[in-house]
Amino acid sequence: MKTLIQNSILLSLLLFVFCLCYQKLIWVAGGIVCCIWYSKVKGKSVILVALLLVCICMPRYSTSMPSMQIASARQVNGSYAILENKNAKILVYTQQPLYIDGQYAILQDGEKIESSSHFYAFDFAHWANQQGVYYSLKEDNIKLIKENITIRSLIQKQIEKFPEQHKKAMLYKVLLNIRTQETKEDWLYENGFSYVGIVLGIQCILKYFLTRKKRDTILWIITFLLCIVYRFPLLLVQSLLYRTSKILRIHSSQSIGCITTIVLCLYPHQVVSAAFLIPTIYRYSSIFFKQEKKSGTFFLLLLVQGYLFQNMNPIKNVLYPTIQLCNGFLYIFCFIELFVPLSLFQGIATGMQCILSFCDAFTLEGSLLGVGFIFFLCIFKMLLQTKHRFLWASIVLLFFQWSGAFHPCCECSVINIGQGDAILLRAPFNTENILIDTGKPTSWNTLDTFLKAKQIRKIHTMIITHDDDDHSGNAIHINENYIVDNIVTTHLETIPTKHFTLYDINPMDNEDKNQSALVHTFHLNGKNVCLMADADTTSESQILKKYPNLHCDILKVGHHGSKTSTSDTFLDTVQPSLALISSGPYHIYHHPSEETIQKLLKRHISYFDTKTSGDMTILCFFKIRFFITSSFDIGLL
């Protein structure tokens, strides 16, 4: 154990890497960690490390349907709640926040939460699975039995007394970190940063009245009480552990490593959360970047933002400690407002919102997960030899983010928006963006996240193949949130653009939306691509009459793989080598049909479906074409 403590920094870093990899590469990750530990430390301590790895990866919750009949609402949000009974959990979709800590009867079995793979969009199912939740219910399948009295439930009752909806929404957001329909998404609240801000705010007040020793004791007690009230969220647990080491006067790097190790063992599923990464960056920067602590911290925070939130905000990084402290004071004012109405409350809340809005004005949208990140790493390696390396690295990183250099390639992407179509055709560096269909209105967040992650601000041409809801449902949102130069909704023989030429090959134009859908072919880096929209077999026969020698290398299968499309004759004529299908849950739409799949298999045509493979992208790099999906299917075309 002494050896583990003495090498706690190395241990914490190895455990961090293991937590990143263990769900998919458990044996490989475990073996590498043990080998590195043994080569650096030697001795029998490798056995203790192996035991820690076993503890981390042991299943903590059952993946089968919970058999509980009564459960308590331990975790509540505006649109969902997690009911819990001992180690069994189930998720309930709601319209309004449930009674916090209230007991509910479960009236029927839940449905399994289906995961949906994306490059950038938040995978709610994966997040729920990490919390130990694998099944869900609708709100009308539960019934309130008892309103348990806890501090959180008392706060909720006081909030519900306010008639003003905007004030109620603000109090929910600040005091309970619950986002309602009236409040927008904010990682500062949803990850519990305001709770730590309370302690920082009280610390600022107490330093004028108490000695350091008494102040540390009181702050430890307050942190511990907050942990109990809010059921030990990660940020407060970390704060409690560090304040414990402060009271015990342990101020070495060993304590940082030991505390991080404890946190990783307790919360391995939160290893890539803002609640873990941001505080850890601040603490480890003091160890690794002693001479460049501020610039090193700033650089790492930009990387975390680009990975987690698909944006970077340099002003928010600089003002982060101040914003967290302001959130703490806002919490105190909100708590007082519950019992003693303040005329200043609205002004304080508005002031805080103005600060955040000011910071948001400097947000650079885009994910750093792109081909350009490889080039950035090459530049960063060269900058490591220069003075003020992290300052220059931050400038280069922000330039990549602003210019779109993280996504420099020409590409064609079939976006996983469930049942529907949304296809993005991009020229290098976003010099031209063509969006073909927009999916259902319910898929807006997924579509918007994908476009912003690609650093897209302008749609040069938007094509709506037909006005079915699952193809045109977000056209209005695109117009409202992006600059759109050209919209195509009717048959045009050719759509010439700066880098591409799209040919509409469907001659049919009648009252049947699917038969009359716009069907396009175009060249993509030496390959012929055909997008069939919802065209059926009648449309296909008419297309072949007009273009009897039609051929394509990549086929976006018609009507989501329905049996009413993709005839034998059509496949035998166009002879694709790759088929792409965009479909939603099979138990609802029964897409793609087994008949269509068998036709593709019979002809040895490789096929991929968004339902199982997620987002699908063809990346063009010079004369090389890579096919990659968000579920890590990779190949050359």
Side-chain angles (χ1 to χ4, degrees), residues 217-229:
T217 303
I218 291 175
L219 292 174
W220 185 92
I221 294 172
I222 292 172
T223 306
F224 181 70
L225 292 175
L226 286 171
C227 283
I228 295 175
V229 170

Side-chain angles (χ1 to χ4, degrees), residues 187 282 297-298 301-302 305 313-321:
W187 60 269
Y282 273 93
T297 302
F298 180 80
L301 287 177
L302 287 177
Q305 283 183 325
N313 191 314
I315 300 301
K316 225 170 200 178
N317 285 350
V318 172
L319 297 179
Y320 166 74

Side-chain angles (χ1 to χ4, degrees), residues 349-620:
T350 303
M352 188 63 197
Q353 191 58 48
C354 287
I355 293 174
L356 294 176
S357 297
F358 170 77
C359 293
D360 289 340
F362 295 89
T363 298
L364 298 174
E365 299 289 353
S367 171
L368 52 77
L369 297 181
V371 176
F373 189 67
I374 299 172
F375 300 106
F376 170 77
L377 290 178
C378 296
I379 297 173
F380 177 65
K381 184 178 180 181
M382 293 186 291
L383 291 174
L384 287 176
Q385 310 303 320
T386 64
K387 190 178 181 181
H388 307 302
R389 52 185 175 172
F390 290 114
L391 177 60
W392 286 111
S394 299
I395 293 172
V396 173
L397 184 64
L398 289 171
F399 173 77
F400 268 61
Q401 185 75 352
W402 171 79
S403 64
F406 284 121
H407 305 276
C409 297
C410 172
E411 66 180 74
C412 179
S413 299
V414 179
I415 306 170
N416 179 19
I417 45 87
Q419 179 68 17
D421 275 6
I423 300 166
L424 177 66
L425 181 59
R426 295 177 60 244
F429 295 98
N430 287 329
T431 50
E432 185 169 40
N433 300 308
I434 301 172
L435 182 64
I436 305 168
D437 287 334
T438 63
K440 285 184 175 181
T442 53
S443 66
W444 165 244
N445 287 335
T446 301
L447 177 62
D448 185 47
T449 298
F450 191 95
L451 296 178
K452 286 180 177 177
K454 291 293 185 181
Q455 300 169 305
I456 291 173
R457 305 177 185 92
K458 183 176 184 178
I459 304 294
H460 297 82
T461 302
M462 179 170 66
I463 301 172
I464 303 298
T465 60
H466 59 297
D467 62 358
D468 277 356
D469 192 50
D470 59 338
H471 289 254
S472 62
N474 290 306
I476 295 175
H477 294 307
I478 292 292
N479 273 312
E480 291 175 346
N481 292 275
Y482 294 86
I483 300 170
V484 181
D485 283 349
N486 185 31
I487 302 176
V488 176
T489 59
T490 58
H491 287 281
L492 296 174
E493 188 171 342
T494 61
I495 305 174
T497 62
K498 187 176 180 181
H499 295 86
F500 308 97
T501 300
L502 284 79
Y503 302 91
D504 184 351
I505 61 173
N506 187 6
M508 297 197 67
D509 191 3
N510 57 29
E511 295 180 356
D512 190 301
K513 296 179 182 178
N514 290 346
Q515 289 183 359
S516 302
L518 309 186
V519 175
H520 294 98
T521 64
F522 58 91
H523 298 293
L524 181 69
N525 198 250
K527 294 291 183 180
N528 294 326
V529 182
C530 184
L531 308 178
M532 293 301 296
D534 276 1
D536 62 9
T537 54
T538 303
S539 304
E540 291 171 359
S541 64
Q542 293 301 312
I543 290 171
L544 293 181
K545 280 184 180 180
K546 186 174 182 180
Y547 304 97
N549 297 318
L550 180 66
H551 168 74
C552 74
D553 301 290
I554 301 160
L555 174 69
K556 205 291 292 182
V557 174
H559 204 185
H560 321 292
S562 167
K563 63 182 180 181
T564 60
S565 301
T566 320
S567 66
D568 290 295
T569 304
F570 186 78
L571 286 177
D572 290 335
T573 302
V574 299
Q575 297 181 345
S577 56
L578 176 66
L580 306 178
I581 304 171
S582 180
S583 68
Y586 186 81
H587 67 280
I588 299 176
Y589 303 103
H590 302 291
H591 292 157
S593 73
E594 186 60 30
E595 291 179 30
T596 301
I597 298 301
Q598 289 303 317
K599 290 176 186 178
L600 296 173
L601 292 175
K602 181 181 177 181
R603 292 163 176 80
H604 305 288
I605 301 172
S606 300
Y607 74 92
F608 294 88
D609 184 2
T610 57
K611 181 167 67 262
T612 54
S613 298
D615 297 326
M616 302 181 290
T617 293
I618 300 167
L619 287 174
C620 303

